[in-house]
Amino acid sequence: MDIESIREYCLSLPKVTEDFPFDDTTLVFRIGGKIFAMMDLEDASKLTLKSDPNQALTLRDKYSEISGAWHMNKKYWNQLNLYGQLSDTLVKQLIRHSYSEVVKKFPKRRQQEFPNLS
């Protein structure tokens, strides 16, 4: 997937916003004010996503294109190399998983405002 396809897909999910909180090149996608995905516009080869800690390790073992995210808590954050062999279907699945992981951390009452996308 290219950067524009990822941006369009992320923004197609319910209640997603985007901004540049760190600098002029790091595009961040949020749900309920919390980050679930990040990309550097100057290096469009990488996408950073939140993951369940057990799944994060499993994905890293299974796919050479997935590693612990640079500058993030590697227990929860993976970095995808988009120039590798990951299918668009898998990337979209991992984006939805990241979205759902963030929603799971909201209070129960607030979770009901968002669909379960995993």
Side-chain angles (χ1 to χ4, degrees):
M1 282 184 86
D2 63 27
I3 192 168
E4 193 56 39
S5 298
I6 289 171
R7 180 178 177 268
E8 287 175 14
Y9 186 73
C10 286
L11 292 175
S12 76
L13 301 175
K15 301 183 180 188
V16 170
T17 60
E18 65 180 342
D19 63 279
F20 292 88
F22 306 117
D23 53 40
D24 292 341
T25 64
T26 306
L27 177 59
V28 168
F29 298 97
R30 298 177 189 261
I31 179 66
K34 302 291 185 183
I35 297 171
F36 76 93
M38 293 186 293
M39 312 186 67
D40 186 340
L41 299 180
E42 291 181 342
D43 182 5
S45 69
K46 296 178 181 65
L47 173 64
T48 301
L49 298 171
K50 192 162 192 171
S51 184
D52 169 79
N54 293 326
Q55 183 176 357
L57 295 174
T58 300
L59 289 167
R60 290 175 205 162
D61 288 342
K62 187 172 182 178
Y63 300 100
S64 62
E65 297 91 347
I66 300 178
S67 60
W70 190 63
H71 279 304
M72 302 295 286
N73 184 336
K74 289 163 186 49
K75 179 177 179 181
Y76 298 102
W77 291 91
N78 277 338
Q79 182 169 286
L80 283 60
N81 177 350
L82 299 172
Y83 292 167
Q85 300 299 315
L86 299 176
S87 70
D88 290 358
T89 302
L90 177 61
V91 173
K92 288 179 180 179
Q93 176 188 348
L94 295 175
I95 291 170
R96 289 190 310 273
H97 174 73
S98 181
Y99 178 104
S100 296
E101 284 298 300
V102 171
V103 170
K104 280 186 356 185
K105 301 294 182 185
F106 292 154
K108 294 289 183 196
R109 184 173 46 207
R110 189 163 183 219
Q111 288 179 24
Q112 296 171 359
E113 299 173 24
F114 305 97
N116 182 354
L117 300 179
S118 350

